[in-house]
Amino acid sequence: SQFAAGTLAKSGESYKSILKRIIRLELEPGQLISENQMCIDYGVSRSIIRNAFTKLAQLKFVEVRPQRGTYVTQIDLNYISDLLMLRTAVEKEVIYEMFTKLDESARLELVKKLEKNIEEEEKYIDEKTYSRRFGILDSEFHKTMIDSVNRYALVVILSDIMLHISRWRNFDVKFADRIHELVEEHKNIVKGIKSNDLYKAQECMAAHLETITDIYESAIKQYPKYFIS
């Protein structure tokens, strides 16, 4: 029925919006989120918000504690480290395929696309937040490489867990003012591809994705509530 379809649409919208707020750290790790407040924020019924909370709990973005309420999950740096390792393995393999399956002209075509992306990125180099235009360009940079070897299904397979990496990236960029560095890291990856140096391209990718070590201790010290201790 029309009513059921409308409810489903509202449920989906509320879920996506709350998820976005969590990923952007507008709803902070460890924060109690009120069902009532969310009903008011979105002008929807409790069942719609409960539905959204259930989905978010399945993705491990909220935790329902009996008699205490619903909390945004804290960031588990060990889990993020594992996800980054998984993503690094995938992207290093993508680079390997770029070198073994694409001929040189296809690779140079790819380099052109990546350089164009970096030119766009440079317009946002002074942004303090990752989640706006720069975040989209960063995703496009990686997607362009993955698409070049027809591995787009990987992006879909990894999409849910990558949301946790996005939340971490938002923190990382905000905390360490990192957009400038990310652009330089992208340039280094492209230099490796351009100079036909498989090993260099892979190493630059690994360095680009390994974002925890340098800020681990200072991040936990400054934002103890954000992280699982």
Side-chain angles (χ1 to χ4, degrees), residues 137-159:
L137 289 165
D138 185 21
S139 296
E140 280 172 6
F141 179 87
H142 291 271
K143 186 178 171 295
T144 300
M145 286 200 283
I146 293 167
D147 281 351
S148 74
V149 290
N150 297 318
R151 292 287 186 190
Y152 183 67
L154 283 171
V155 177
V156 179
I157 292 163
L158 297 173
S159 62

Side-chain angles (χ1 to χ4, degrees), residues 1-61:
S1 75
Q2 211 171 349
F3 176 74
T7 304
L8 204 63
K10 276 186 182 173
S11 179
E13 282 161 25
S14 311
Y15 158 72
K16 281 181 187 157
S17 175
I18 299 167
L19 175 63
K20 195 181 277 182
R21 286 166 72 189
I22 291 171
I23 288 172
R24 289 182 172 180
L25 307 169
E26 289 159 16
L27 295 171
E28 296 182 0
Q31 181 181 334
L32 173 66
I33 46 175
S34 146
E35 211 173 84
N36 290 342
Q37 190 54 52
M38 290 292 159
C39 292
I40 295 163
D41 285 0
Y42 295 104
V44 294
S45 67
R46 291 176 86 95
S47 64
I48 284 178
I49 293 300
R50 275 186 195 144
N51 207 350
F53 281 4
T54 301
K55 278 188 184 172
L56 291 164
Q58 284 165 352
L59 284 178
K60 295 185 168 53
F61 277 113

